[in-house]
Amino acid sequence: MNKIILPLLVGALSLGSSFAVQAHTVSDAVAKSPPEAPYKAVSSLVKLPDFIPGMGQLFVDPATLPAGPFLAYDRDGKLVSTIYMIPIQDMVPEKSFSDLKVPGIAVDHTDIMYNAGHPGVEVPHVHIVLWHIPAGEESRVAK
């Protein structure tokens, strides 16, 4: 992995832990699926299924693409994570992502993973997943 990307990922991990300090109670506007406007189902914007195993049902404000935040819900319509999809080409010292929003809910833990691209974010990118549920409950979106 690029020598520049690794320190940025480490920094993103520390950001995930700082979000929990800023988060309070989840807004009724996003607590249950579907969230209020301007969020739209990702499946209505690009060719992706309504529910993506491992992620859940995704919603995004189209104006925030490609980074997001994407709000992810389990099959019961409960918010489980907030996901950012940051293109690798944007992971450079000259570019920063400031004031990334979390929908007013505590972050339990953070996962960061590489993705080669998919409909909606076709370029190689990093998924930064801010889980609002304990790791032991991630199975709620496993299948």
Side-chain angles (χ1 to χ4, degrees):
M1 186 175 282
N2 184 319
K3 289 181 182 180
I4 294 173
I5 294 174
L6 188 56
L8 291 171
L9 292 179
V10 171
L13 279 172
S14 65
L15 283 176
S17 64
S18 70
F19 285 128
V21 174
Q22 297 173 11
H24 300 290
T25 58
V26 65
S27 160
D28 288 341
V30 298
K32 293 284 286 174
S33 172
E36 293 181 3
Y39 288 96
K40 294 187 178 192
V42 170
S43 61
S44 72
L45 302 172
V46 297
K47 190 174 180 174
L48 284 172
D50 287 333
F51 191 93
I52 302 169
M55 297 177 87
Q57 183 182 24
L58 300 180
F59 290 83
V60 69
D61 174 354
T64 66
L65 292 172
F70 294 79
L71 303 180
Y73 297 84
D74 65 13
R75 292 197 183 273
D76 292 329
K78 295 179 183 169
L79 183 66
V80 295
S81 70
T82 301
I83 303 169
Y84 287 92
M85 300 183 190
I86 309 296
I88 295 293
Q89 66 197 24
D90 291 339
M91 301 285 284
V92 295
E94 298 80 27
K95 183 149 186 170
S96 63
F97 294 87
S98 300
D99 199 27
L100 296 175
K101 304 294 182 199
V102 176
I105 186 171
V107 174
D108 182 83
H109 63 286
T110 304
D111 291 338
I112 298 177
M113 62 209 74
Y114 172 82
N115 188 289
H118 52 72
V121 187
E122 289 81 6
V123 298
H125 59 280
V126 175
H127 286 189
I128 301 171
V129 184
L130 307 174
W131 289 98
H132 306 302
I133 58 175
E137 293 183 26
E138 288 179 24
S139 62
R140 291 166 46 182
V141 294
K143 53 185 174 173

